[in-house]
Amino acid sequence: MNKDDLNEARTNPDFLIYLEAAMQNSIKNQNIEMMYEILDTMLVLDLQEDKIDRLYDEILKVASLNLEEKLKKNELLKLEKNDFLTIRAFYELAIEKWSNSDFELSKALFFTLANSIDDNFLRKNMEVLLVNLSKELDFEYFYEEFVDKNELEAKEEYGYFITSFNFEVDDFLENNQEFLKKEYENLKHLIEKKEIN
């Protein structure tokens, strides 16, 4: 969409009525996939912040129920369908909390996710973030200093996550074991039904 298309969509009353109805319908049906489609549209069009916030709150409610159900069954989240959107929702929340210097909540979210997903690559990348949170690095500083912005992840399923760094992930985790162990010890109660490898 170019600037004119965006402006046309943003000011088209029929489209805005349709979007509002779709939003209400997605909330009513607790359809996280539809909610995210609408949320992404609203963000691109830069629509009312209060509606965006309300929709995101609803996404988090559905994601929380999905995660809770998985933990109860001792199952892991997969990078597909509703599971993927659950991971995305908590990941985005964790980044937001980190950006606002809420290190403790961000750590809790990344820790829970890292131990609830069926994907070793993404798990390791979340542990990298956990270590940097443990050091209480400012998110902007971390992003500018350590994220390789030229190296975008080729696999589409990782597109919403920070997975490219200017260091070797395995070496970094090996060299920061003490930070990781400390956080696992402090946060293990969050996933006590799960086994820590």
Side-chain angles (χ1 to χ4, degrees):
M1 275 191 158
N2 62 32
K3 224 179 215 180
D4 290 339
D5 292 334
L6 286 173
N7 202 45
E8 161 64 24
R10 200 179 287 126
T11 55
N12 182 326
D14 290 338
F15 178 71
L16 294 176
I17 288 167
Y18 160 77
L19 200 61
E20 176 68 27
M23 183 179 97
Q24 297 303 334
N25 192 36
S26 70
I27 292 170
K28 181 182 170 189
N29 293 308
Q30 298 288 280
N31 185 331
I32 193 170
E33 190 175 355
M34 191 189 288
M35 283 188 216
Y36 253 123
E37 281 177 25
I38 295 160
L39 181 73
D40 289 340
T41 302
M42 292 169 91
L43 288 168
V44 167
L45 296 178
D46 196 22
L47 296 177
Q48 294 162 290
E49 201 172 315
D50 60 327
K51 284 191 178 180
I52 289 170
D53 290 345
R54 179 173 168 234
L55 187 54
Y56 189 58
D57 285 345
E58 292 295 331
I59 285 171
L60 286 173
K61 283 180 195 170
V62 175
S64 296
L65 289 171
N66 191 26
L67 180 59
E68 199 177 304
E69 198 176 302
K70 290 284 180 180
L71 290 172
K72 273 183 192 167
K73 293 179 180 174
N74 212 28
E75 293 176 358
L76 296 173
L77 294 164
K78 299 185 184 306
L79 288 187
E80 56 189 39
K81 300 180 183 171
N82 287 356
D83 279 8
F84 173 78
L85 295 173
T86 295
I87 297 166
R88 179 184 164 187
F90 282 113
Y91 190 93
E92 288 170 346
L93 182 62
I95 293 289
E96 180 194 321
K97 295 303 176 187
W98 188 358
S99 298
N100 293 324
S101 299
D102 189 342
F103 299 112
E104 294 308 312
L105 184 49
S106 188
K107 277 194 286 192
L109 288 163
F110 279 126
F111 176 81
T112 303
L113 273 181
N115 289 280
S116 303
I117 54 175
D118 188 15
D119 189 287
N120 202 41
F121 173 76
L122 194 53
R123 175 185 174 150
K124 284 182 181 180
N125 282 281
M126 286 191 195
E127 287 182 339
V128 166
L129 305 186
L130 195 55
V131 167
N132 283 283
L133 276 160
S134 187
K135 296 175 181 180
E136 297 202 346
L137 287 189
D138 176 75
F139 177 73
E140 296 304 324
Y141 174 81
F142 160 77
Y143 193 81
E144 287 307 313
E145 292 296 314
F146 302 115
V147 175
D148 185 351
K149 291 165 281 296
N150 298 319
E151 183 68 37
L152 291 174
E153 180 52 55
K155 291 186 179 176
E156 188 183 337
E157 64 263 35
Y158 299 124
Y160 287 99
F161 312 110
I162 300 170
T163 58
S164 300
F165 305 99
N166 55 20
F167 52 77
E168 179 56 48
V169 168
D170 287 332
D171 292 344
F172 177 86
L173 292 175
E174 184 63 37
N175 295 332
N176 287 278
Q177 274 299 306
E178 61 188 277
F179 288 99
L180 222 71
K181 281 179 184 168
K182 182 186 90 174
E183 295 307 339
Y184 267 73
E185 192 54 41
N186 292 339
L187 298 167
K188 66 183 179 185
H189 65 278
L190 296 172
I191 54 152
E192 51 200 14
K193 283 188 180 178
K194 300 190 69 54
E195 197 174 297
I196 299 169
N197 296 324

